[in-house]
Amino acid sequence: MRQGAQGSADTGTPWAAAASAAAAEPAQSAAPAGSARVPQQAGAVRGEHTHSEPPAPAVPVLPRARPVIQRASVRGQILAALRAALVAGDLRPGEVYSAPVLGERFGVSATPVREAMQQLALEGAVEVVPNRGFRVVERGVRELAELAEVRALIEVPVMLRLARTVPAERWAEMRPLAEATVRAASTGCRATYAESDRGFHRAVLSLSGNEQLVQIAEDLHRRAQWPLVGGGPGIRGRADLVADAHEHTALLDALVARDLDVVRALVGEHFAGAGAGAGAGAGGA
């Protein structure tokens, strides 16, 4: 998706589902406060009351609650869609995209798009270009290899410790997540697989009980999934993603068996593959 004069919806991109959901967010506005009618006694004429019963007390007029517009929900959906577009290569490195043009694609105003892009700028995925929009950061193979090395330095020791301490039944709970990555990889959609892949790693690392570690590792993981210069969509194919996903199930088998040598080798190869294979197109590990 190249920014320019184009503003029509691009229904074939991976962000289409999130875009339609964001566009469907209700833009509610508060109705003016009404007044409640005072209930009348049966058979009584307006303005009078019977002698046998006291007048009905006046019902207090309460203002209607102003509906809360879920603006953050729209921004969150746009952010998720932009992240998926980054991984899929629909937002290309070096290209500049304006918030109004992207807003037209999503069917929303430029404001939530601009807010989402500013979050991506904080994460290092894009950079602000004054009076133009946001440029997708250009990355090379060296940066990807460095990210893989840092991830290995963090995650390998943690997984070795978990292999020694976590009982087999806890690893069994991770099996559905590992199998989900294989199903996601079989679709051939890098954005779908990337999300499932991060979910598996996040669940494994959460067993450490260190939330700071989980957050740092996920940030590195997300950055490792961004495309490289020249790494357009489709370069890393379905077979590569499926092979990457099957490493998750092999890792679980090694963790259950507490085979530390195999765990170390598998995690090391997993990240090494991310540094090399993903250089041809972001996606896994």
Side-chain angles (χ1 to χ4, degrees):
M1 179 193 73
R2 184 179 298 273
Q3 186 271 341
Q6 301 176 355
S8 60
D10 192 357
T11 57
T13 59
W15 60 32
S20 60
E25 279 290 323
Q28 303 178 17
S29 60
S35 59
R37 292 178 178 271
V38 177
Q40 299 182 12
Q41 299 174 358
V45 180
R46 183 188 300 271
E48 66 179 10
H49 63 273
T50 63
H51 293 284
S52 59
E53 297 182 7
V59 178
V61 178
L62 299 177
R64 295 180 182 176
R66 182 179 297 272
V68 178
I69 300 176
Q70 300 295 329
R71 181 190 180 97
S73 176
V74 176
R75 182 182 63 182
Q77 293 177 54
I78 297 298
L79 178 60
L82 290 173
R83 284 172 169 167
L86 273 172
V87 175
D90 294 319
L91 294 180
R92 298 180 178 274
E95 294 291 328
V96 178
Y97 299 90
S98 72
V101 170
L102 290 175
E104 290 181 7
R105 288 181 176 269
F106 287 117
V108 298
S109 70
T111 300
V113 176
R114 187 175 293 110
E115 292 172 346
M117 276 295 202
Q118 289 170 347
Q119 176 60 37
L120 290 178
L122 292 176
E123 297 174 3
V126 301
E127 56 188 10
V128 178
V129 181
N131 301 320
R132 292 185 62 193
F134 301 85
R135 177 186 290 114
V136 179
V137 172
E138 299 179 89
R139 306 187 313 136
V141 175
R142 177 174 179 175
E143 180 179 346
L144 194 62
E146 290 173 350
L147 285 169
E149 181 180 2
V150 175
R151 289 184 63 203
L153 289 172
I154 293 175
E155 295 194 35
V156 171
V158 174
M159 289 194 182
L160 290 175
R161 175 166 59 85
L162 294 176
R164 299 186 187 97
T165 59
V166 175
E169 55 268 22
R170 293 301 304 277
W171 294 124
E173 297 173 2
M174 302 292 168
R175 187 74 59 179
L177 293 176
E179 295 170 349
T181 66
V182 177
R183 290 193 299 272
S186 66
T187 68
C189 176
R190 289 181 294 159
T192 300
Y193 176 63
E195 183 176 356
S196 180
D197 181 37
R198 288 197 312 274
F200 173 79
H201 282 263
R202 181 171 58 248
V204 171
L205 293 177
S206 67
L207 295 177
S208 68
N210 189 328
E211 184 60 29
Q212 299 303 314
L213 180 147
V214 173
Q215 292 180 8
I216 292 172
E218 180 157 11
D219 177 65
L220 293 170
H221 195 168
R222 191 186 301 279
R223 291 171 59 190
Q225 294 173 330
W226 296 338
L228 303 183
V229 175
I235 292 182
R236 196 172 193 221
R238 187 178 68 87
D240 297 317
L241 299 182
V242 171
D244 190 85
H246 278 299
E247 292 179 0
H248 296 146
T249 57
L251 175 61
L252 278 183
D253 292 337
L255 289 167
V256 170
R258 294 193 174 182
D259 192 331
L260 302 187
D261 291 336
V262 174
V263 170
R264 183 183 293 106
L266 281 173
V267 178
E269 291 171 3
H270 198 58
F271 292 155

